[in-house]
Amino acid sequence: MPIIQSIEVCVARVPLDHVTSFSNRTVTERHYGLVKVRSVDGVEGIGFCYVGSAGGELFRVAVEQLLGAVLIGKESLGVEGLWQRMYQEALLQGRMGTVMRAISALDIALWDLNAKAVGLPLHKYLGAVELDTVPAYASGGYYVEGKTAAMVGEEMASYVALGFKAVKMKTGRWDPKGEESRVKAAREAIGPDVELMLDCNNGWVDTVQAMQYLSRIEPYRPYFIEEPFGPDDIESHARLARLTSIPVATAEIGYGRWYHKQLLDMGGAAILQTDAAVCGGITEWKRIAAIAAGYGVQVCPHWFHDVHAPLVAATPNARYVEFFWDDQVLNFRRLIDRQLGHKDGRVVLHQTPGLGFGFDEKQVAKYGAWTTTS
């Protein structure tokens, strides 16, 4: 019986090698919340989340002062009950934001621990659809000083040369004419048959502004336009979905099944990008994916391919995992001891128990320190 004995928590502050921009913000470092949950039998599960470009200590406080005590001494197999207890404990401090991300990290660690305890890789423990690989799109196309439209095209073409049949780039920072030049360069570089995704990172304020961009971009046949507006502006997402031929994708920073159901009820998303390290962990992600299936909506989870690859493998209505092949933007990759590989545009799943990797303790020590709750 796997009883939870202790929890370790760390905030790792990892600087970017190059200052990197999105449609409306610039990032110089990333703060990651890391946890290790250990059972009395000595089995250890790991979890993690992205806190943001500042404020990582909020994560540590949430784990140490709010959530850890809920788990210590409890059986790790009671995942649904433990999730509900953590959520109830956090009602006043944060049903979204950093506290929910802390719940997410701890929940991921519980699933990792439980899968390890029975000796199964996570995707098989969950009940797999895909056993060996899952389809992926290569993500990039960020704004870096001096990076031209032609260089974005070259970057997208480099992913295709690696075998990817779908790629994603950022959009929304330049004016409509400039963004059209970037998308045009990408489409010409990758050819007509590779799927091209666009990510706006909440860059537009209303549908009038959005259509100034999308009317120019529609001829290049994007697979989706991601996060055109702020996450809580569900009505604008729904209106835009009626105005453009480009499918709208969103919900990467959506919290909980109730938000996602409202988004689906209003027609605000053709594709959900729900992130297990944001929405409430694997437990809540599975619920949301099941709700989406009832609406005939695909799930293409955001970020952290290390946890999302096994989830996509275990979810019939999940189409793609977002894959970052280097550590220049998703520099979380520097903190783990084993990377996912890819072949022919598909991510190769780990076959060892649990998530299939651990933290690289030498690297983690460069950016943060562990503290223990028991």
Side-chain angles (χ1 to χ4, degrees):
M1 183 180 297
I3 302 299
I4 300 168
Q5 182 179 58
S6 65
I7 297 170
E8 292 183 69
V9 58
C10 174
V11 177
R13 302 167 183 84
V14 187
L16 294 178
D17 291 339
H18 308 285
V19 176
T20 301
S21 296
F22 304 77
S23 61
N24 56 7
R25 62 190 175 93
T26 298
V27 176
T28 59
E29 69 176 7
R30 297 192 180 280
H31 291 198
Y32 298 103
L34 317 178
V35 293
K36 294 188 286 190
V37 178
R38 179 176 288 270
S39 74
V40 295
D41 302 321
V43 182
E44 183 178 273
I46 66 168
F48 42 86
C49 72
Y50 173 51
V51 179
S53 55
E57 283 304 311
L58 296 171
F59 176 87
R60 187 191 302 275
V61 170
V63 173
E64 291 185 340
Q65 299 185 25
L66 192 63
L67 302 171
V70 176
L71 301 182
I72 299 296
K74 303 297 192 304
E75 186 176 342
S76 66
L77 289 172
V79 177
E80 289 278 355
L82 293 175
W83 190 96
Q84 186 59 38
R85 292 187 185 98
M86 286 192 289
Y87 184 79
Q88 185 68 33
E89 188 68 21
L91 282 179
L92 300 183
Q93 290 84 4
R95 298 183 298 280
M96 57 181 66
T98 302
V99 175
M100 184 60 106
R101 293 181 185 225
I103 292 175
S104 302
L106 289 165
D107 182 82
I108 291 167
L110 291 175
W111 282 95
D112 184 39
L113 189 161
N114 291 334
K116 286 175 177 173
V118 297
L120 287 174
L122 181 60
H123 64 288
K124 294 181 180 179
Y125 182 69
L126 290 167
V129 178
E130 301 280 1
L131 294 173
D132 302 308
T133 66
V134 292
Y137 68 82
S139 197
Y142 289 80
Y143 298 90
V144 178
E145 186 175 357
K147 191 173 187 178
T148 64
M151 292 167 69
V152 174
E154 291 167 3
E155 179 189 352
M156 296 297 107
S158 74
Y159 299 144
V160 175
L162 291 171
F164 290 98
K165 299 171 179 64
V167 297
K168 189 172 84 176
M169 59 179 282
K170 298 299 181 183
T171 195
R173 190 173 183 87
W174 293 4
D175 64 20
K177 182 179 179 181
E179 288 300 335
E180 181 185 7
S181 72
R182 296 174 79 251
V183 176
K184 180 182 179 182
R187 174 54 75 195
E188 290 177 348
I190 65 176
D193 299 325
V194 174
E195 291 181 338
L196 175 63
M197 292 85 158
L198 305 178
D199 184 1
C200 192
N201 291 108
N202 322 120
W204 299 324
V205 297
D206 55 37
T207 55
V208 173
Q209 183 188 23
M211 289 306 298
Q212 288 177 324
Y213 284 85
L214 296 185
S215 61
R216 288 176 171 269
I217 290 171
E218 282 177 332
Y220 304 101
R221 298 179 297 104
Y223 181 68
F224 61 62
I225 178 65
E226 175 179 342
E227 281 202 309
F229 310 109
D232 298 319
D233 189 0
I234 295 175
E235 181 60 43
S236 288
H237 283 85
R239 284 200 302 271
L240 184 63
R242 296 190 293 268
L243 290 169
T244 180
S245 62
I246 304 172
V248 174
T250 192
E252 71 177 53
I253 47 177
Y255 299 91
R257 74 202 87 138
W258 302 279
Y259 167 84
H260 288 79
K261 183 178 184 303
Q262 183 183 6
L263 185 65
L264 293 170
D265 282 341
M266 295 180 66
I271 296 167
L272 288 184
Q273 296 176 297
T274 311
D275 188 329
V278 171
C279 73
I282 293 172
T283 300
E284 191 72 350
W285 192 94
K286 289 168 75 270
R287 297 181 185 128
I288 293 164
I291 292 170
Y295 286 78
V297 168
Q298 292 181 348
V299 182
C300 298
H302 158 261
W303 199 241
F304 285 128
H305 51 250
D306 308 281
V307 68
H308 289 131
L311 298 189
V312 168
T315 306
N317 61 314
R319 170 124 197 239
Y320 281 117
V321 63
E322 181 175 17
F323 186 75
F324 293 82
W325 75 278
D326 65 22
D327 64 4
Q328 292 306 297
V329 176
L330 182 57
N331 56 12
F332 172 78
R333 297 190 66 167
R334 302 177 190 180
L335 304 179
I336 62 176
D337 60 8
R338 187 180 178 198
Q339 305 295 328
L340 283 165
H342 63 87
K343 182 179 180 181
D344 299 327
R346 298 176 68 91
V347 168
V348 180
L349 297 163
H350 294 311
Q351 299 297 333
T352 50
L355 287 166
F357 62 91
F359 295 127
D360 183 331
E361 296 297 348
K362 289 184 179 180
Q363 289 296 315
V364 172
K366 294 179 181 179
Y367 306 112
W370 293 99
T371 55
T372 305
T373 299
S374 59

